Amino acid sequence: MPDIQKLYEEYAAQGADAEVAVIGVAAPETGGEASAEEIAGFLEENGYTYPVLMDHTGEMFSFYGISAFPTTFMIDRQGNVYGYVSGQLTEEIMRSIIEQTLEG
């Protein structure tokens, strides 16, 4: 998660002109996940400031067919899913995926 935070800070610093948005999604109390309050506390305790959607109903996880944690999706400006990767990613891999997504 520190790598995600680093990328978030980098792109957030670009303001409205940023080509990348970093958004997390958590599923409180699903599949062994903690409660929304515990997740929010963990994020705050560890200094993670990127936005995290709390998917209380599991709708997002179901819609995107997420079955592994974490799963990273690359979605273009038009909302098209460019691709996804299951499992933890390094900063280097995330940067490569971002570049590939921006290049189309």
Side-chain angles (χ1 to χ4, degrees):
M1 291 177 68
D3 292 337
I4 297 170
Q5 179 65 33
K6 183 177 179 180
L7 290 169
Y8 168 72
E9 290 173 4
E10 181 180 319
Y11 286 104
Q14 296 175 9
D17 295 331
E19 293 185 287
V20 174
V22 175
I23 303 167
V25 180
E29 300 175 12
T30 302
E33 285 275 59
S35 69
E37 294 78 19
E38 291 169 318
I39 294 168
F42 171 83
L43 294 168
E44 185 175 341
E45 274 179 37
N46 291 282
Y48 299 126
T49 59
Y50 58 89
V52 175
L53 167 81
M54 297 292 176
D55 184 10
H56 294 280
T57 65
E59 182 178 353
M60 295 299 293
F61 280 72
S62 177
F63 181 80
Y64 285 99
I66 298 170
S67 60
F69 300 98
T71 298
T72 302
F73 281 83
M74 289 62 66
I75 303 171
D76 68 15
R77 289 183 181 269
Q78 291 74 38
N80 300 307
V81 176
Y82 177 78
Y84 69 94
V85 178
S86 296
Q88 188 170 350
L89 304 175
T90 65
E91 179 184 349
E92 182 180 305
I93 292 171
M94 285 188 278
R95 287 186 184 282
S96 175
I97 290 169
I98 290 168
E99 287 175 28
Q100 291 174 47
T101 302
L102 292 174
E103 291 171 2

